[in-house]
Amino acid sequence: MTRPMNVSITSMIRTAQAVTREGRGILAADESSPTMAKRLAAVRVDSTEETRRSYREILLSTPGLEEFVGGVILFDETIRQQTRDGKPFARLLSDRGIVPGIKVDLGIRPLAGSPDEVVTEGLDRLRERLVEYDAMGARFAKWRAVLRIGDGRPTTACIEANAHALARYAALCQEVGLTPIVEPEVLMDGAHDLDECARVTEAVLHCVYDQLARQHVILEATLLKPNIVLPGTTCRTPASDEEIADATLTTLRRTVPAAVPGILFLSGGQSDQEATARLDQINRRGHEPWELSYSFGRALQAPVLRAWAGDNSHRTAAQAALLHRARLNAAARAGAWLPEMED
Ligand code: 13P
């Protein structure tokens, strides 16, 4: 069932390099069906298997997407779906040089013994599911852990439980030959300030890299998908994009080993333009030793959903909106984005 380790390590490293190559990033299109229902409801579209399929076909068939996007994260339902013409979505992507990936966690559940905290589930039978996704064409995987700040949270118990699960997941991915994206998301909900987010993100990343080492994960064949370090959404002390970029880089430099090839930020509820402006500021400071890119869901898709709004005759406008945001994020990835490029 497992491949010879020397073969899969090389190919996993190549996958990590391919998704971040020459200014590219990741389109996260892996919303679970309940999350997708919320996104579609916001543009007054019923969530059915067919509306989800046809929206995702618009995203994935966008002409020119491969110029800016190196990988797409799919959801379980989506990787089993096809274009109207019968081409599996994973093949539609790989034929154009975009690497297909797959969300493999099964979502968050309350963490026993830690009120108001959550742990990500999905380790049971994960090995078998990864083998199946590999056969369907996925080349990388994603697992998201969720940490909340406030009232003594996150507890050490929550940080350790989530980091341990991330490490078990990453080790299983590497056994099968899929490059694991390790995603510990410290949420931006709350009244905490920038320093508190930096302190918590640092503690979380320390624990994650400790657990990855204990589970024998080969860091060269992984990617990190962290939150940008931000003040909470109800914090009274605002921070400039420059301060946010400094705090984010300081936190990453203290915690993420140089062996990790790439760091791809999630957008986490920032507006499209905020996420792009902050990615730009981060890259203006220089990215060594990692590639510093994006793996945005909402910050890439929000304008696409608005343009489409369930009407397939708006396909061209929706695809233009996606290409525009992808192009702007590619500029930000080079530290070359300017606000006037938004128009
Ligand atoms: P957002 O960019 O919308 O946070 O989504 C990225 C993602 O994949 C969350 O797991």
Side-chain angles (χ1 to χ4, degrees):
M1 190 160 72
T2 54
R3 295 179 191 159
M5 267 319 244
N6 57 346
V7 174
S8 51
I9 293 168
T10 312
S11 73
M12 287 184 290
I13 292 173
R14 260 199 235 110
T15 297
Q17 290 165 344
V19 297
T20 56
R21 75 189 185 280
E22 293 160 24
R24 289 171 177 80
I26 289 180
L27 164 63
D30 59 324
E31 299 83 0
S32 64
S33 298
T35 301
M36 203 57 216
K38 273 192 245 160
R39 304 270 190 273
L40 292 174
V43 293
R44 296 201 176 82
V45 176
D46 283 341
S47 184
T48 64
E49 189 177 345
E50 178 50 25
T51 55
R52 294 190 294 272
R53 193 208 62 78
S54 93
Y55 169 64
R56 267 127 173 192
E57 177 167 350
I58 289 174
L59 287 181
L60 306 183
S61 60
T62 298
L65 194 63
E66 63 277 9
E67 261 187 78
F68 309 111
V69 167
V72 175
I73 316 174
L74 303 169
F75 181 58
D76 179 79
E77 176 185 80
T78 321
I79 201 169
R80 299 171 194 280
Q81 289 176 324
Q82 310 183 336
T83 63
R84 247 177 327 172
D85 304 338
K87 191 173 213 185
F89 282 148
R91 185 135 51 80
L92 174 71
L93 292 170
S94 53
D95 281 356
R96 298 164 63 202
I98 301 176
V99 186
I102 180 76
K103 168 197 175 80
V104 302
D105 68 71
L106 298 179
I108 53 176
R109 300 284 185 285
L111 177 62
S114 290
D116 299 323
E117 295 196 292
V118 294
V119 66
T120 304
E121 294 196 340
L123 289 172
D124 290 355
R125 293 187 45 77
L126 180 57
R127 176 180 279 122
E128 290 77 6
R129 291 171 53 228
L130 292 173
V131 170
E132 188 188 7
Y133 290 136
D134 177 69
M136 286 193 275
R139 289 293 161 261
F140 67 93
K142 176 196 115 164
W143 177 289
R144 171 175 176 254
V146 177
L147 292 304
R148 294 196 184 107
I149 300 181
D151 296 330
R153 294 187 299 263
T155 61
T156 305
C158 178
I159 295 173
E160 287 182 352
N162 277 292
H164 182 73
L166 276 167
R168 294 265 327 271
Y169 139 82
L172 280 162
C173 285
Q174 292 192 335
E175 183 185 276
V176 174
L178 297 178
T179 305
I181 295 188
V182 173
E183 180 179 1
E185 175 173 5
V186 177
L187 296 181
M188 60 191 279
D189 306 351
H192 56 273
D193 63 12
L194 183 70
D195 288 347
E196 178 67 356
C197 182
R199 194 187 63 72
V200 170
T201 305
E202 186 176 326
V204 168
L205 291 174
H206 266 309
C207 189
V208 166
Y209 282 100
D210 178 47
Q211 289 292 328
L212 290 171
R214 285 172 195 262
Q215 299 295 328
H216 315 296
V217 173
I218 297 151
L219 295 183
E220 288 82 352
T222 66
L223 291 165
L224 175 68
K225 174 163 171 166
N227 51 286
I228 292 177
V229 174
L230 295 169
T233 41
T234 55
C235 173
R236 300 237 177 102
T237 322
S240 66
D241 292 345
E242 289 80 359
E243 289 167 328
I244 287 168
D246 286 336
T248 302
L249 280 170
T250 299
T251 302
L252 295 172
R253 288 191 179 123
R254 287 179 179 176
T255 52
V256 184
V260 175
I263 299 177
L264 302 113
F265 297 102
L266 58 93
S267 61
Q270 300 169 85
S271 72
D272 328 338
Q273 188 166 338
E274 281 170 345
T276 305
R278 290 158 183 173
L279 178 65
D280 177 69
Q281 278 301 325
I282 289 168
N283 274 293
R284 279 176 195 265
R285 279 152 179 73
H287 63 73
E288 297 298 338
W290 322 279
E291 295 293 328
L292 290 171
S293 188
Y294 62 89
S295 175
F296 292 161
R298 284 163 283 182
L300 275 171
Q301 292 187 54
V304 189
L305 272 166
R306 281 194 300 271
W308 172 65
D311 185 341
N312 286 343
S313 71
H314 298 163
R315 179 189 184 98
T316 307
Q319 293 184 331
L322 177 60
L323 206 61
H324 182 56
R325 281 261 53 95
R327 185 181 284 117
L328 293 171
N329 284 308
R333 181 141 158 27
W337 170 85
L338 296 167
E340 49 270 32
M341 292 161 75
E342 290 284 328
D343 303 319

